[in-house]
Amino acid sequence: MTSFKPVRKAVFPVAGLGTRFLPATKSVPKEMLTIVDKPVIQHAVDEARAAGIEHFVFVTGRNKAVIEDHFDIQVELEQTLRERNKTDALELLAASLPPAGQTSFTRQQSPLGLGHAVWCARNIIGNEPFALLLPDMVMRDKKGCMSSMVELYNKTGGNIIATEEVAWEETHKYGVVETGKEVAGGFEISGMVEKPPQGTAPSNLFINGRYILQPEIFDILSGHETGAGGEIQITDAMLKLAKEQPFYGFRFTGRTFDCGSKEGFIKANVAFAMWQSDLAEDLRPELEELLKEKPPF
Ligand code: UTP
């Protein structure tokens, strides 16, 4: 069996402005907004760790320093918890922390687009395949989307894109793939279209924010070509790379919440709370009641 260079590093682009959450995101990065009790970014890092990722690369921007603090120990807090014998809380903190020396933070000095943010990680990634996780997309299933993708990659090599079914009427809002032959539980990607006009989508599988990419993507991104919205787009670079290298699709069948939008973020909070038995019991009747109520103003 052929063995491919392992996927050891993951990139988390977190330099976006998060304008859809203003004024909350004026001083708090949107990646630090919480889903129940865990920041959005922690969900993506946990998913990457479960997939065997060893090095976590954050592409940050101004006002994002708190993300770096979140992935460090908090000496005074831990001291106090120890004095108070709060072992559960201490264990929780330890479990959420990648091991020392396995995180890197680099700055995207201007938010020139997702493709540019990924390019900013080039020196830390070097010449090896890497995982790319958009933290806004919070996903939940038994195994973890990235774990399944790494499993597929270990059979196929190349580049992997996670996809997910969406209603056909919604395809014009997303990047959509064209499907080729089935391979190793995934499929060959024979084309990609960004926001296809209604009725023209080649499939109803949209690109949902998880990728495994080969380092040659950096050579393409170094051209700094702008696309939609005047931004440097990762999809444009992938389309170019697909002319030289194979791309495979993974079908994710769990639940995804787009926490970059208010609606998705609120849905994620409700869903994660309802999936937590200690909260669900009290919350369910209250939510049912709330839905019947008129606003008190
Ligand atoms: P979004 O398209 O959601 O943009 O970025 P945004 O700026 O974060 O949010 P809004 O639209 O203003 O509310 C998708 C992902 O790409 C990252 C974001 O942090 C997010 O994870 N990103 C985007 C960058 O890191 N740099 C960029 O220049 C643009």
Side-chain angles (χ1 to χ4, degrees), residues 99-140:
Q102 293 183 208
T103 52
S104 294
F105 295 83
T106 186
R107 288 251 177 153
Q108 182 192 23
Q109 291 152 345
S110 322
L112 300 180
L114 176 58
H116 182 259
V118 173
W119 177 76
C120 291
R122 67 199 180 283
N123 289 340
I124 304 172
I125 297 297
N127 190 26
E128 55 182 284
F130 63 99
L132 169 62
L133 296 95
L134 307 195
D136 281 359
M137 302 304 271
V138 173
M139 297 180 182
R140 195 72 196 268

Side-chain angles (χ1 to χ4, degrees), residues 2-220:
T2 332
S3 74
F4 303 100
K5 265 194 184 176
V7 184
R8 301 184 312 118
K9 298 180 182 176
V11 175
F12 303 88
V14 290
L17 297 177
T19 52
R20 283 170 287 172
F21 278 92
L22 283 170
T25 46
K26 197 174 155 195
S27 60
V28 177
K30 71 171 170 180
E31 297 80 9
M32 288 304 293
L33 300 178
T34 57
I35 297 173
V36 186
D37 47 14
K38 217 195 245 191
V40 164
I41 184 68
Q42 183 81 53
H43 288 269
V45 168
D46 289 351
E47 184 188 325
R49 283 182 85 187
I53 296 297
E54 295 164 9
H55 198 111
F56 306 82
V57 184
F58 300 85
V59 181
T60 73
R62 274 182 290 285
N63 295 330
K64 303 275 183 168
V66 67
I67 298 177
E68 193 164 345
D69 293 340
H70 178 73
F71 291 106
D72 192 6
I73 56 166
Q74 230 276 36
V75 180
E76 283 157 29
L77 171 65
E78 294 188 11
Q79 175 81 25
T80 310
L81 291 174
R82 252 188 300 277
E83 282 162 14
R84 295 183 186 172
N85 285 325
K86 302 265 186 201
T87 27
D88 287 358
L90 280 165
E91 278 167 17
L92 188 96
L93 289 180
S96 63
L97 202 60
Q102 293 183 208
T103 52
S104 294
F105 295 83
T106 186
R107 288 251 177 153
Q108 182 192 23
Q109 291 152 345
S110 322
L112 300 180
L114 176 58
H116 182 259
V118 173
W119 177 76
C120 291
R122 67 199 180 283
N123 289 340
I124 304 172
I125 297 297
N127 190 26
E128 55 182 284
F130 63 99
L132 169 62
L133 296 95
L134 307 195
D136 281 359
M137 302 304 271
V138 173
M139 297 180 182
R140 195 72 196 268
D141 74 340
K142 250 197 176 137
K143 195 167 187 174
C145 184
M146 189 48 72
S147 295
S148 304
M149 291 171 71
V150 168
E151 214 171 273
L152 176 61
Y153 168 84
N154 288 337
K155 293 178 194 153
T156 60
N159 301 269
I160 312 277
I161 299 181
T163 67
E164 197 169 325
E165 272 189 19
V166 67
W168 282 94
E169 316 82 77
E170 301 282 303
T171 46
H172 65 285
K173 297 182 187 162
Y174 300 93
V176 175
V177 296
E178 187 180 314
T179 60
K181 261 196 345 233
E182 295 291 311
V183 189
F187 58 90
E188 281 177 6
I189 292 180
S190 47
M192 292 174 238
V193 214
E194 195 52 57
K195 301 195 173 71
Q198 287 250 0
T200 67
S203 80
N204 66 336
L205 291 172
F206 79 99
I207 299 175
N208 70 3
R210 300 287 185 272
Y211 315 78
I212 292 173
L213 296 170
Q214 295 295 329
E216 288 75 17
I217 196 89
F218 295 125
D219 301 335
I220 297 169

